[in-house]
Amino acid sequence: MKKAYSNTQSYVTFNDKLWLQYMSMAESNKQEVWLRGPLPEISNLLQPVAHSLLQAREELNELIKDFPDEMLWERPGGVASAGFHLQHMAGVIDRLFTYARGAMLSPAQLQSLSAEGTASNQTTIGLAEKFNKQVNFALEQLIISEKNELTAVRAVGRSKIPSTVIGLYIHAAEHTMRHLGQLLVTVRILKAGS
């Protein structure tokens, strides 16, 4: 029987151990996450989603490890700031995985959405930690996802646009990778100009 999912759980077990295992493999052979084999406890159908989220996590943490806080909200050439991408990536995963559970967004999630891209006193490390935590929550949800529920219809947004559980998971992964690519370019431009 699968365990219940809760956003308030402490994530110091599966994901941290798995992340260390995958980081160790990455350092030893430089393979991308999807080439390191299946993740334990996650359905074969959801392996690409988990691999994409872990790949995003790995690349994001490497990219911003020395990124200065004072550049978080700069918009070179009018593009979205690095701070926006960091907020949005965590937020997208949170919102789409909430819909996949069959829930609607909470007032706190809606407030977080409206604040994305707003300059704040958050740090680069703090935003990265929030993203890492959201990836952990997502992996835990993938573990408990039942194969027979992946095609179940789920309502998205106030308009209740129909999607499916697997559609929401896949979109969360691809949308995260899209913003990671944009973040990569923004960070490189800002670092080159400093």
Side-chain angles (χ1 to χ4, degrees):
M1 180 175 206
K2 300 266 185 166
K3 59 188 172 192
Y5 173 82
S6 167
N7 253 354
T8 60
Q9 288 179 320
S10 172
Y11 293 90
V12 186
T13 56
F14 176 82
N15 291 314
D16 291 338
K17 288 179 185 174
L18 178 67
W19 181 244
L20 290 173
Q21 173 189 345
Y22 271 59
M23 286 301 292
S24 173
M25 291 176 74
E27 291 169 10
S28 66
N29 58 21
K30 303 294 183 206
Q31 289 181 328
E32 290 185 2
V33 174
W34 70 279
L35 292 170
R36 298 177 201 163
L39 286 87
E41 302 184 53
I42 295 178
S43 162
N44 287 340
L45 293 173
L46 298 176
Q47 290 290 323
V49 174
H51 287 149
S52 292
L53 293 175
L54 283 171
Q55 186 71 42
R57 180 177 170 168
E58 186 173 297
E59 289 183 32
L60 180 141
N61 284 282
E62 181 62 29
L63 176 68
I64 56 102
K65 68 180 174 185
D66 297 321
F67 190 72
D69 295 341
E70 58 271 9
M71 288 185 178
L72 266 177
W73 306 106
E74 290 185 27
R75 300 182 60 200
V79 301
S81 68
F84 165 76
H85 289 300
L86 290 168
Q87 289 174 327
H88 187 64
M89 290 166 65
V92 161
I93 296 169
D94 180 36
R95 291 186 293 274
L96 294 177
F97 275 66
T98 295
Y99 292 136
R101 291 192 303 275
M104 297 308 286
L105 300 183
S106 70
Q109 287 172 304
L110 292 170
Q111 183 180 6
S112 180
L113 171 61
S114 67
E116 284 180 6
T118 305
S120 66
N121 61 355
Q122 298 179 69
T123 65
T124 303
I125 291 172
L127 289 171
E129 287 175 356
K130 185 174 181 180
F131 174 76
N132 293 337
K133 183 178 178 182
Q134 200 58 58
V135 170
N136 285 353
F137 288 142
L139 291 172
E140 290 290 336
Q141 186 169 328
L142 292 177
I143 289 169
I144 64 169
S145 293
E146 299 285 352
K147 184 178 175 180
N148 62 346
E149 292 181 4
L150 294 178
T151 57
V153 175
R154 295 291 190 257
V156 178
R158 292 181 183 131
S159 300
K160 299 188 188 250
I161 299 166
S163 187
T164 61
V165 172
I166 196 166
L168 289 160
Y169 288 157
I170 290 170
H171 183 63
E174 67 87 14
H175 198 84
T176 298
M177 291 304 285
R178 180 187 326 163
H179 279 275
L180 177 67
Q182 293 171 340
L183 175 66
L184 181 118
V185 172
T186 301
V187 166
R188 286 188 178 166
I189 289 170
L190 288 169
K191 283 184 173 180
S194 66

